């Protein structure tokens, strides 16, 4: 079974391999009372990736390492600069299935193969405080890299690594760095050993022979070299309506892929965030059909709707359980009769267990992986309409205003209906349309600025209000189910009735607040 360790570290460049790599006296670092020499560990690590290095491109590393006190398989997932989650699994001859699953959204059906072997002599020192508590581990690594696929090069270098102790204060690393900088030691230009190894051992393209200079003239070699070494970067600034919408589409595609490992690991809120990314994509396709051809995007939207529904099985159960638990906690003890909390826990656990297994099966399935590949293709070769080349101020603003009008129509219909199931459905439809308009305004904000940002806020407020109403509808349905189960088991169902009445009151409060909320939003208008 894999386990996880949060790793916070910084890497620094050492002198050329074979040279001395003296460290300054680190007892001068504030808070450090002693530097303990832990000796030298011989580490042998083989890094795995696809033939086209999909993991390295995403700053992921997967290795099998022997030596040291943490031999085994290690998968490192980036969290932020200098911070990674290291997922560990026991030593085995082949890549563990648990780790392969965590990189599935990156590798798809591609094979993982050995790409680089790193042999390191790690000279380790522990920085401790006055009580002997570990503050950080500092190591001087003398590394030899051997290319195993995609070439046959090798390289050697020395680097210094400072890793914060578990539960340590990240600010301590700043103190260590200040001391290292004073000693002339600077940060490494490579994000990881693997990145440096891949770069240093990559096959070099042969230089093309230059044309001989014409008689009587001297070739301007310095100018030619400068031009080759500093190519003009491509202009990535969005200009057209299509540029802006594709930027938003790309961000959502990336979010789905990047959140996949977190969803598999059951990281809090990860399912919700992935579901939101799928909804943002689908809403964008529907709102901006004048920019992206809907004959292409509609079938993708169907698949996104399917994925959102699968993610929702787990997420909706989480939300229901949270609401029911909070409602029960708010009840005075004399209104709680029977084993209500125990029944709620059993009901929630049984449902979540089944949905969790189903979700993992979805993420391992061909349909999901095909969807990811389809999204890659869409981003690489977008089905742009003629309007995509026009100025965003006109095309994008028109699309957002069209969505806003639909929200207005649906809210108006809901307000005209009497309380009951029909109004519940109408308010739910208005909520979904408000969400779509919010996402359309999000995509429009870089192009349209403050008016679009204001619309995002107002649609979010409306969405929250209508969401509270829908939560009440769902909670009441679950309470009816729980009450039936309790009655059949011979338990007192009184408490479920009390909770149902309170949920009904919350829905009534939302319905009473909606006219005023909508009047303020409608007065503000769209972009």
């Amino acid at each position: 079974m894999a386990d996880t360790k949060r790793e916070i570290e910084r890497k620094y460049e050492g002198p050329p391999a074979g040279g001395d790599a003296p460290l300054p006296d680190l007892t001068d670092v504030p808070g450090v009372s002693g530097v303990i020499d832990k000796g030298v560990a011989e580490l042998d690590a083989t890094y795995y990736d696809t033939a086209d290095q999909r993991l390295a491109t995403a700053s992921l590393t997967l290795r099998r390492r022997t030596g040291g006190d943490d031999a085994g398989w290690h998968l490192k997932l980036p969290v932020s600069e200098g911070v990674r989650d290291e997922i560990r699994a026991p030593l085995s001859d082949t890549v563990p299935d648990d780790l392969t699953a965590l990189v599935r959204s990156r590798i798809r059906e591609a094979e993982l193969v050995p790409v680089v072997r790193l042999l390191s002599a790690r000279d380790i020192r522990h920085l401790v405080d006055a009580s002997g508590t570990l503050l950080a581990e500092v190591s001087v690594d003398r590394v030899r890299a051997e290319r195993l696929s995609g070439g046959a090069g090798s390289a050697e270098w020395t680097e210094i690594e400072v890793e914060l102790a578990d539960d340590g204060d990240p600010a301590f690393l700043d103190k260590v760095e200040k001391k290292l900088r004073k000693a002339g030691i600077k940060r490494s230009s490579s994000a990881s050993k693997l990145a440096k190894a891949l770069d240093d051992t990559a096959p070099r393209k042969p230089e093309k022979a230059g044309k001989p200079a014409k008689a009587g003239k001297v070739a301007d070699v310095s100018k030619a070299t400068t031009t080759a070494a500093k190519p003009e970067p491509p202009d990535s600034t969005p200009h057209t309506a299509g540029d802006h919408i594709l930027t938003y589409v790309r961000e959502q595609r990336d979010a789905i892929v990047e959140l996949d490992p977190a969803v598999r690991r059951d990281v809090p809120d990860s399912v919700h965030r992935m579901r939101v990314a799928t909804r943002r994509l689908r809403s964008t396709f529907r709102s901006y059909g004048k920019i992206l051809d809907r004959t292409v995007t509609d079938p993708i939207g169907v698949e996104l709707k399917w994925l959102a529904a699968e993610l929702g099985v787990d997420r909706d159960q989480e939300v229901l359980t949270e609401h029911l638990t909070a409602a029960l906690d708010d009840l005075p003890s004399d209104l709680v009769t029977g084993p209500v909390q125990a029944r709620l826990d059993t009901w929630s656990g049984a449902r979540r267990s089944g949905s969790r297994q189903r979700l993992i099966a979805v993420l391992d399935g061909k349909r999901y992986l095909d969807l990811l590949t389809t999204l890659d293709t869409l981003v690489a070769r977008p089905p742009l309409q003629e309007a995509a080349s026009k100025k965003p101020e006109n095309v994008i603003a028109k699309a957002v205003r069209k969505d806003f009008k639909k929200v207005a129509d649906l809210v108006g219909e809901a307000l005209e209906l009497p309380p009951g199931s029909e109004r519940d459905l109408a308010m739910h439809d208005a909520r979904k349309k408000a969400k779509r308009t919010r996402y359309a305004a999000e995509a429009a904000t870089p192009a349209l600025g403050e008016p679009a940002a204001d619309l995002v806020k107002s649609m979010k407020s409306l969405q929250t209000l209508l969401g509270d109403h829908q939560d009440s509808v769902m909670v009441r349905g679950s309470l009816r189910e729980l009450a039936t189960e309790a009655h059949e088991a011979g338990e007192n169902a009184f408490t479920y009735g009390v909770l149902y009445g309170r949920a009904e009151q919350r829905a009534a409060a939302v319905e009473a607040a909606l006219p005023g909320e909508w009047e303020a939003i409608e007065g503000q208008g769209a972009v």
Side-chain angles (χ1 to χ4, degrees), residues 298-310:
D298 277 359
I300 303 175
V302 171
E303 295 304 287
L304 289 167
K305 183 179 181 180
W306 160 77
L307 178 57
E310 294 293 348

Side-chain angles (χ1 to χ4, degrees), residues 210-273:
K211 294 182 179 179
K214 293 182 179 180
K217 293 185 178 181
V218 178
D220 190 351
V221 178
S222 63
K223 182 177 180 180
T225 303
T226 301
T227 302
K230 297 182 179 180
E232 287 293 325
D235 184 7
S236 60
T237 304
H239 295 289
T240 66
D243 291 340
H244 282 279
I245 299 309
L246 282 175
T247 296
Y248 190 74
V249 166
R250 190 176 297 109
E251 289 172 354
Q252 308 318 314
R253 185 279 311 266
D254 291 348
I256 293 172
V257 173
E258 290 167 5
L259 283 165
D260 180 290
V263 171
R264 292 174 184 272
R265 293 163 57 205
D266 205 15
V267 173
D269 204 40
S270 58
V271 171
H272 172 62
R273 290 165 60 202

Side-chain angles (χ1 to χ4, degrees), residues 25-98:
D25 183 4
L26 296 177
T27 56
D28 292 345
V29 175
V32 175
S33 294
V35 178
I36 303 174
D37 189 341
K38 304 297 288 187
V40 177
E42 300 293 336
L43 308 177
D44 186 345
T46 299
Y47 288 78
Y48 286 71
D49 203 338
T50 60
D52 53 358
Q53 296 178 15
R54 299 179 193 180
L55 299 187
T57 300
S59 299
L60 306 178
T61 60
L62 173 62
R63 72 187 179 201
R64 180 187 187 275
R65 190 167 79 180
T66 58
D69 58 4
D70 63 347
W73 287 91
H74 306 149
L75 170 64
K76 299 193 178 188
L77 307 173
V79 176
S80 59
E81 184 179 0
V83 182
R84 295 184 292 183
D85 278 341
E86 184 177 272
I87 318 297
R88 298 177 175 179
L91 203 61
S92 61
D93 293 335
T94 57
V95 183
D97 291 341
D98 287 352

Side-chain angles (χ1 to χ4, degrees), residues 283-471:
S283 293
T284 301
F285 293 157
R286 293 168 67 86
S287 295
Y288 294 106
K290 296 292 185 182
I291 295 174
L292 295 172
D293 186 353
R294 287 194 58 175
T295 63
V296 176
T297 62
D298 277 359
I300 303 175
V302 171
E303 295 304 287
L304 289 167
K305 183 179 181 180
W306 160 77
L307 178 57
E310 294 293 348
L311 291 164
V313 172
D314 208 32
R315 173 59 183 171
D316 290 345
Q317 186 60 39
E318 286 181 8
V319 172
L320 272 174
T321 301
E322 290 169 2
H323 284 304
L324 288 167
T325 300
L328 184 59
D329 289 343
D330 285 343
L331 275 187
S333 58
D334 59 343
L335 295 181
V336 180
T337 60
V340 181
Q341 185 64 63
R343 178 159 296 282
L344 174 57
D345 292 342
T346 301
W347 173 82
S348 176
R351 287 191 165 204
R352 179 159 168 72
S353 175
S355 63
R356 181 77 195 155
Q357 293 171 6
R358 174 173 173 169
L359 179 56
I360 296 303
V362 166
L363 298 183
D364 286 335
K366 184 176 185 299
R367 185 175 181 179
Y368 167 70
L369 297 177
D370 286 348
L371 171 58
L372 297 185
T373 300
T374 300
L375 291 174
D376 290 345
T377 302
L378 177 81
V379 169
R381 296 189 294 277
L384 297 174
Q385 302 273 61
E386 182 180 349
S389 62
K390 296 181 179 180
K391 293 182 178 181
E393 294 81 1
N394 299 327
V395 180
I396 292 179
K398 184 177 180 180
V400 175
R401 286 194 294 269
K402 183 178 179 182
D403 277 349
F404 183 81
K405 184 180 183 305
K406 292 179 180 178
V407 175
D409 292 342
L410 288 169
V411 171
E413 291 175 13
L415 291 175
E416 291 176 359
L417 291 169
S421 59
E422 286 190 32
R423 175 181 269 195
D424 292 344
L425 289 172
M427 292 179 70
H428 183 46
D429 287 342
R431 172 177 175 258
K432 290 189 291 185
K433 192 63 67 177
K435 189 181 301 183
R436 172 174 158 181
T437 305
R438 171 189 168 189
Y439 297 152
E442 281 181 355
T445 297
L448 306 183
E450 188 173 347
D454 288 342
L455 183 59
V456 170
K457 293 177 183 177
S458 62
M459 288 296 100
K460 184 176 181 180
S461 176
L462 178 63
Q463 178 189 330
T464 299
L465 184 68
L466 295 174
D468 289 343
H469 186 274
Q470 179 62 15
D471 288 342

